[in-house]
Amino acid sequence: EAGVTQSPTHLIKTRGQQATLRCSPISGHTSVYWYQQALGLGLQFLLWYDEGEERNRGNFPPRFSGRQFPNYSSELNVNALELEDSALYLCASSLARGTSSYNEQFFGPGTRLTVL
Amino acid sequence: RKEVEQDPGPFNVPEGATVAFNCTYSNSASQSFFWYRQDCRKEPKLLMSVYSSGNEDGRFTAQLNRASQYISLLIRDSKLSDSATYLCVVNRHSGGGADGLTFGKGTHLIIQP
């Protein structure tokens, strides 16, 4: 069974540009989560999408946004990039709410974003 | 106080030994608990969920103490391949749904031959 996939693997941008990161969940999973892991810091929760809706967001500015498509894949957009946005961005997926294991999350390999 | 706190280590342990980590969490509303393992520059991988009654998976045993708000992980007969960072993870539920996971910064374990 294919796991969570993310693209691109690496992304290099300059300050002020926009970045788009993509994630495809495990087949059958409807919830997608985005996390940021900056160097030396733990994983920080960014966004949660379920059934096409944004369900919750972490303590990040509005220039971090995203969406979930009808096939449950997701995009994370980061506008007006800043140097401190350089990090590993991880996507995770889980089963739908209401299932017994819905909150077990499985991670993709991540997109390493470098802002110059 | 941080939401999830772990001793960062590193824990240097000889192969075959038993090692235990603890983790404390601050939010008493937390409802789901996990241990993840993360290898260097890789994504976290779910090691095991932690249940109220405690649970075991092979050489790994997890315990939850809600009264004291801590979670533990015990690794028996440690292998070289157990070397990794172990992340304590807590999930609060709100409105009947799951929020994002709150991760500790991890405990670094090095198994020495």
Side-chain angles (χ1 to χ4, degrees):
Chain A
E1 181 184 307
V4 177
T5 59
Q6 291 186 244
S7 64
T9 306
H10 293 88
L11 188 58
I12 299 175
K13 294 285 187 178
T14 56
R15 229 169 27 162
Q17 284 189 311
Q18 184 211 30
T20 298
L21 289 62
R22 296 180 178 83
C23 170
S24 291
I26 291 171
S27 178
H29 285 190
T30 62
S31 276
V32 171
Y33 307 80
W34 288 95
Y35 295 87
Q36 182 196 66
Q37 187 173 33
L39 196 63
L41 299 178
L43 277 83
Q44 303 292 318
F45 167 65
L46 264 165
L47 289 159
W48 168 35
Y49 292 95
D50 183 66
E51 296 288 351
E53 302 280 334
E54 182 181 303
R55 299 296 182 183
N56 201 9
R57 65 180 295 130
N59 189 24
F60 280 84
R63 58 191 186 81
F64 288 83
S65 65
R67 54 181 172 163
Q68 187 179 34
F69 299 100
N71 67 353
Y72 304 113
S73 67
S74 176
E75 264 181 12
L76 173 69
N77 295 294
V78 189
N79 293 321
L81 284 165
E82 300 178 2
L83 296 177
E84 52 265 34
D85 296 333
S86 294
L88 179 67
Y89 288 84
L90 291 158
C91 170
S93 74
S94 72
L95 291 169
R97 292 191 287 175
T99 59
S100 61
S101 300
Y102 74 91
N103 54 359
E104 286 185 347
Q105 298 181 16
F106 298 88
F107 284 81
T111 293
R112 192 163 294 280
L113 173 64
T114 302
V115 182
L116 302 175
Chain B
R1 184 181 171 188
K2 293 178 188 164
E3 281 203 62
V4 180
E5 288 205 67
Q6 296 182 250
D7 182 342
F11 284 45
N12 288 284
V13 174
E15 193 175 7
T18 295
V19 60
F21 317 129
N22 283 339
C23 155
T24 57
Y25 61 95
S26 61
N27 192 327
S28 58
S30 301
Q31 297 192 20
S32 302
F33 308 90
F34 309 91
W35 284 102
Y36 278 74
R37 155 194 183 130
Q38 186 171 27
D39 294 288
C40 190
R41 299 181 71 82
K42 299 280 191 179
E43 74 273 21
K45 291 192 191 304
L46 179 64
L47 182 65
M48 56 198 303
S49 301
V50 186
Y51 303 120
S52 296
S53 54
N55 48 301
E56 190 173 304
D57 183 1
R59 298 182 292 109
F60 298 84
T61 301
Q63 298 276 352
L64 167 63
N65 185 318
R66 283 188 188 271
S68 301
Q69 294 183 206
Y70 79 79
I71 307 149
S72 65
L73 178 68
L74 182 81
I75 305 174
R76 288 182 300 279
D77 187 25
S78 52
K79 313 286 183 197
L80 294 176
S81 57
D82 294 334
S83 297
T85 297
Y86 289 83
L87 304 170
C88 174
V89 185
V90 168
N91 196 4
R92 290 179 294 116
H93 293 214
S94 61
D99 293 340
L101 300 172
T102 301
F103 284 77
K105 289 193 176 179
T107 295
H108 189 38
L109 173 66
I110 301 169
I111 306 298
Q112 296 174 328

